[in-house]
Amino acid sequence: MEDVSPDTDTPLAQPLLLERRVRQPQPAVSVIKSKLKKGLTCSGPKVRSTLTGFFPVVRWLPKYKLKEYIWGDLMSGMIVGIILVPQAIAYCLLAGVPPLYGLYTSFYANIIYFLMGTSRHVSVGIFSLMSLMVGQTVVREVFLAGFDMSEDSTPSPHEAFNDTNQTFKPELTVELMGMQLGKDDYSISIAASVTFLAGVYQILMAVFRLGFVSVYLSAPMLDGFATGASFTILTVQAKYLLGLKIPRHQGYGTVVVTWFNIFANIHKTNLCDLITSAICISILVAGKEIQERYKDRLKIPLPTELVVVAGATLASHFGEFNTRYHSSVSGHIPTGFIPPQLPAFSIMPRLALDAIPLAIISFAFTVSLSEMFAKKHGYTVRPNQEMVAIGLCNVVPSFFHCFTTSAALAKTMVKDSTGCQTQVSSLISALVVLLVLLFFAPYFQALQKCVLACIIIVSLRGALRKFRDVPAKWRASRMDAIVWLVAMSATALISVELGLLVGVIFSMCCVIYKTQNPKVSLLGQVNDNDLYEDIEEYKNLKMPSRVKIFRFQAPLYYANKNSFLKSLYKAVGVEPFLELTKRKKAEKKDRDNSKKQAKTNGEKPNFDVFVGLVQKELEFHTIVLDCSAIPFIDSTGMGTFKALVKEYKEIGVSVLFACCNTSIIDVLQKGECFGKNNKDISSLLFYTVHAAVLHANRAAEESKAEDSVV
């Protein structure tokens, strides 16, 4: 490789040589031995480091600045706990389990993440999207077990835990792990089992360092997926607003089928539920609007959900809405804790596939939120430890009748805005939930399900507002807007799981499409200096004399080889094979004419003189391939470059390479693209486009001088 200056009297005219470092690869056996030795060595400091890495709380809690941090953590923990209680009860409607288990899930998730999380601000607990995905699995399995899906949730046999006066004989029971379970107990067994599997998947991903999987969940795809899932959540909860007792749809097309069923049964609307829903939504929306408008003046968020829940519970209790108007209510919520129980391992083979999207989405949201708030506040998180933490937030609580958790954006933002400093705030939130579990849970018995549905629907305002951003997305990037629309539509119209799969596949196809149809350009020189740019994008550029400079802005590999060749042939206007064929035809034609003319004149034809006359001189003598925008090439790309050099050489055109990165150079050298033993590398490979152009012009002048001498 060489760099050439236009001034041949300066030292820069000498070849500019960059000497590559010699890297000696270590033998695989020695690498494995050293890693095993390092991994299996046991010492006191290493054990201590491993334990503190596994439980980060051991590192930061002894350094806790009590006077500086406690007030912010106490306030944020109490506020999030107050918000968490009604949401934990409400999201159980999505998960298809009784309200008690939502409180359990919120309690255990906060405790475990306090011990194992590396983020100071993330709030882990019940998340609407996770609840929806769990609920779809639960409802499917409950339906397959033969339970009546149109009836209200029946009291669980566990009600007797704190209330021996209540007796209940279920109409249908299913045997699972040697026990006869009713509908509610069977539902939480399904939810706990799929949660256990999701947590195991997440821990395995952490062990095998598979966190890169989340890289394939692009931001537009995740955004569209969340919006489509929010529309599905809205649809699933709409029946509660009207007090309709219709079964939850199984299979694909939940949104379409559910709305059809709602309108088909609209005449059965419960007026009590409808009026209650209208009042609750009005209060909740008004509270959200006031919060957003005066967020700079309000030091703490308005506890609108708690006020609505308290008011609606009192109104339902004293108004006897359940007995007088047949309004669906939450039912009895016992205090205390149910003894732990093993997840149902016998049904896990049926749930193995359902747990995969749960594990991936839960991890992706948790890590993305952790990194976002860590960047905002100037500290770092460990994604692998986050995966372990969220995995154990699912595995351990699954033994205590809980379902899948994840980091939640809304509650995390509340923690951040109310002065959260550390995960002590999560401990405070868990204590708030514990108080409800021990003392206040039975008071929510009269709470109407339509009120819970209102809380869920109003919480979706932010996600549903994303529809207003579509025009801006389209103007910023049409490809991203299309990915968003496809992911949203597939999630809303087909199913949540398939929507995720469709979104991932479509976004990856878009990346492949971009590499197969990248931007290509011919470059021109800027004001006689060494800068070259796209002649279609910039004005006042001058094309170098008889040199074509071609830039391909994508990796060159097997999938876009043909696109690269077509673009190059179109840009330079000459395809070597066709040009060579034309020349051969012209040569043959002129030979035949010469032969006929010589025969007519009785002379012997001289073909040696003719051969030099049929060569057509092209508009250019050199093609410079600017490889600065090509990140890598594979063996197919190397073969393409090698063939180009050979084919264009046959028609008298040189192909030079400029601005190649070291990985491309290595591939070209291994493929002997620069001749045997890379003997021609100094005349084919250049550090800059300008050096290649100068070399091409100099070589053309020398060749012309030699031809004139001949």
Side-chain angles (χ1 to χ4, degrees):
M1 293 170 57
E2 64 179 58
D3 205 345
V4 187
S5 171
D7 186 3
T8 56
D9 295 332
T10 64
L12 291 177
Q14 301 298 322
L16 178 60
L17 300 177
L18 292 179
E19 186 176 355
R20 291 283 298 275
R21 294 182 182 273
V22 178
R23 301 184 183 275
Q24 294 292 343
Q26 295 183 355
V29 176
S30 62
V31 172
I32 294 174
K33 284 183 178 179
S34 63
K35 288 187 176 181
L36 287 175
K37 183 178 179 180
K38 183 179 179 181
L40 298 178
T41 301
C42 184
S43 62
K46 186 172 183 180
V47 171
R48 186 164 51 253
S49 175
T50 302
L51 290 177
T52 56
F54 197 65
F55 295 100
V57 65
V58 179
R59 292 184 178 179
W60 61 262
L61 191 58
K63 303 175 183 177
Y64 188 80
K65 301 177 182 178
L66 186 65
K67 294 182 179 180
E68 184 178 347
Y69 293 163
I70 190 60
W71 176 248
D73 286 341
L74 185 63
M75 285 296 297
S76 63
M78 291 182 62
I79 292 169
V80 170
I82 291 171
I83 295 173
L84 190 60
V85 170
Q87 287 190 354
I89 298 173
Y91 287 161
C92 287
L93 285 180
L94 286 173
V97 298
L100 174 66
Y101 303 116
L103 296 173
Y104 286 169
T105 303
S106 300
F107 173 75
Y108 287 111
N110 277 283
I111 293 292
I112 294 172
Y113 193 80
F114 162 76
L115 297 172
M116 307 193 68
T118 59
S119 173
R120 303 174 190 172
H121 298 84
V122 160
S123 175
V124 173
I126 291 183
F127 184 37
S128 59
L129 181 55
M130 296 293 102
S131 301
L132 173 67
M133 297 172 72
V134 169
Q136 289 183 332
T137 302
V138 168
V139 172
R140 183 196 70 211
E141 293 298 322
V142 169
F143 174 76
L144 293 176
F147 290 101
D148 185 2
M149 302 305 297
S150 61
E151 62 182 355
D152 289 340
S153 292
T154 54
S156 169
H158 288 307
E159 289 181 2
F161 184 71
N162 277 331
D163 192 351
T164 58
N165 295 325
Q166 294 191 15
T167 59
F168 174 70
K169 294 181 180 180
E171 296 180 2
L172 176 66
T173 59
V174 174
E175 184 176 355
L176 188 64
M177 298 181 67
M179 296 182 293
Q180 294 294 325
L181 302 181
K183 179 181 176 181
D184 289 345
D185 287 336
Y186 188 70
S187 298
I188 191 58
S189 296
I190 298 295
S193 299
V194 75
T195 297
F196 176 83
L197 282 174
V200 169
Y201 290 160
Q202 289 168 333
I203 294 174
L204 290 176
M205 290 169 67
V207 170
F208 293 105
R209 308 282 178 173
L210 298 179
F212 68 88
V213 172
S214 63
V215 173
Y216 297 100
L217 305 177
S218 65
M221 191 282 297
L222 273 180
D223 207 5
F225 171 73
T227 305
S230 299
F231 196 72
T232 304
I233 294 170
L234 170 64
T235 301
V236 170
Q237 297 303 300
K239 66 178 183 180
Y240 295 107
L241 302 182
L242 305 175
L244 298 177
K245 296 178 175 62
I246 56 178
R248 190 162 167 176
H249 174 67
Q250 301 299 308
Y252 305 133
T254 297
V255 170
V256 176
V257 175
T258 302
W259 282 111
F260 177 82
N261 291 335
I262 288 174
F263 285 110
N265 294 274
I266 197 74
H267 59 283
K268 300 179 182 178
T269 299
N270 187 307
L271 291 179
C272 177
D273 286 343
L274 180 61
I275 294 171
T276 303
S277 300
I279 294 173
C280 291
I281 288 178
S282 300
I283 296 173
L284 289 169
V285 171
K288 296 291 184 181
E289 291 294 332
I290 293 173
Q291 179 70 42
E292 291 180 4
R293 183 170 297 183
Y294 300 104
K295 61 183 178 181
D296 295 333
R297 301 181 185 179
L298 296 173
K299 295 184 179 180
I300 61 174
L302 298 175
T304 316
E305 290 92 346
L306 188 63
V307 172
V308 167
V309 166
T313 302
L314 292 173
S316 176
H317 175 73
F318 291 106
E320 298 179 351
F321 290 169
N322 179 238
T323 56
R324 295 175 59 185
Y325 304 109
H326 306 289
S327 179
S328 297
V329 295
S330 298
H332 179 68
I333 306 177
T335 56
F337 290 89
I338 299 173
Q341 183 180 347
L342 288 174
F345 295 103
S346 60
I347 61 175
M348 286 186 184
R350 301 204 305 266
L351 308 176
L353 291 179
D354 298 297
I356 294 175
L358 279 171
I360 295 175
I361 294 298
S362 173
F363 158 70
F365 275 102
T366 302
V367 172
S368 61
L369 281 179
S370 300
E371 292 180 340
M372 180 174 71
F373 282 90
K375 184 177 180 181
K376 178 180 178 181
H377 292 279
Y379 63 93
T380 59
V381 295
R382 290 183 285 137
N384 214 58
Q385 177 61 24
E386 286 294 300
M387 199 183 306
V388 173
I390 197 63
L392 288 175
C393 282
N394 288 320
V395 169
V396 175
S398 67
F399 290 84
F400 296 89
H401 314 280
C402 301
F403 52 94
T404 313
T405 57
S406 170
L409 175 61
K411 291 188 281 291
T412 301
M413 293 183 68
V414 169
K415 287 181 70 172
D416 182 46
S417 64
T418 52
C420 172
Q421 298 293 330
T422 67
Q423 281 299 325
V424 169
S425 61
S426 294
L427 193 61
I428 303 297
S429 299
L431 292 177
V432 173
V433 177
L434 180 63
L435 288 175
V436 174
L437 279 168
L438 295 179
F439 303 107
F440 302 110
Y443 294 106
F444 294 103
Q445 178 175 354
L447 180 61
Q448 295 167 271
K449 289 184 178 180
C450 64
V451 177
L452 301 177
C454 292
I455 294 174
I456 293 173
I457 290 173
V458 173
S459 70
L460 302 175
R461 289 168 67 248
L464 296 175
R465 281 179 173 177
K466 297 290 185 180
F467 284 101
R468 299 189 305 186
D469 300 335
V470 174
K473 290 178 184 292
W474 183 265
R475 289 191 296 270
S477 172
R478 292 187 178 183
M479 189 69 73
D480 287 349
I482 293 172
V483 169
W484 186 92
L485 288 170
V486 169
M488 185 276 300
S489 302
T491 304
L493 299 179
I494 306 175
S495 71
V496 175
E497 293 82 4
L498 279 182
L500 176 63
L501 181 62
V502 169
V504 171
I505 293 175
F506 185 78
S507 60
M508 294 178 68
C509 289
C510 289
V511 174
I512 295 172
Y513 174 79
K514 286 182 178 180
T515 63
Q516 288 186 318
N517 298 274
K519 181 176 176 57
V520 297
S521 53
L522 285 177
L523 307 186
Q525 190 175 12
V526 181
N527 298 329
D528 294 327
N529 59 29
D530 59 355
L531 180 62
Y532 293 79
E533 267 304 338
D534 189 350
I535 60 175
E536 294 183 356
E537 299 293 339
Y538 297 93
K539 299 179 180 179
N540 304 320
L541 299 183
K542 183 178 66 174
M543 292 285 290
S545 176
R546 303 193 65 193
V547 176
K548 299 285 187 178
I549 309 171
F550 180 75
R551 178 185 289 167
F552 186 76
Q553 301 183 31
L556 181 58
Y557 64 113
Y558 67 93
N560 64 357
K561 177 196 74 171
N562 293 332
S563 175
F564 169 80
L565 292 175
K566 289 179 181 178
S567 302
L568 176 63
Y569 296 154
K570 183 178 179 181
V572 302
V574 175
E575 186 172 347
F577 178 76
L578 295 180
E579 178 65 23
L580 191 61
T581 303
K582 289 180 182 178
R583 292 185 180 184
K584 288 181 177 179
K585 288 182 178 179
E587 180 180 344
K588 182 180 179 182
K589 183 178 179 181
D590 288 347
R591 280 186 175 182
D592 292 341
N593 292 336
S594 177
K595 187 176 180 181
K596 290 179 181 179
Q597 186 177 2
K599 188 176 181 180
T600 303
N601 298 333
E603 300 175 356
K604 184 178 180 180
N606 187 357
F607 297 113
D608 295 334
V609 176
F610 160 74
V611 172
L613 299 176
V614 297
Q615 300 297 326
K616 173 187 174 184
E617 187 173 359
L618 300 174
E619 297 179 357
F620 59 94
H621 53 69
T622 303
I623 297 174
V624 177
L625 297 179
D626 179 7
C627 301
S628 59
I630 302 179
F632 68 89
I633 63 174
D634 64 357
S635 58
T636 304
M638 181 274 297
T640 302
F641 279 164
K642 192 173 181 180
L644 280 177
V645 174
K646 179 182 177 182
E647 291 173 0
Y648 273 105
K649 186 176 182 180
E650 292 177 351
I651 61 172
V653 176
S654 300
V655 177
L656 308 181
F657 302 93
C659 305
C660 297
N661 61 48
T662 54
S663 64
I664 294 179
I665 295 174
D666 291 340
V667 173
L668 295 178
Q669 286 181 327
K670 291 176 182 178
E672 295 188 343
C673 193
F674 307 119
K676 190 174 182 180
N677 297 324
N678 299 304
K679 59 183 179 63
D680 299 327
I681 189 171
S682 61
S683 60
L684 294 177
L685 187 62
F686 299 86
Y687 296 120
T688 65
V689 172
H690 189 58
V693 172
L694 293 177
H695 174 84
N697 289 329
R698 186 178 61 188
E701 291 176 0
E702 293 176 354
S703 177
K704 187 176 181 181
E706 292 177 359
D707 292 343
S708 63
V709 171
V710 173

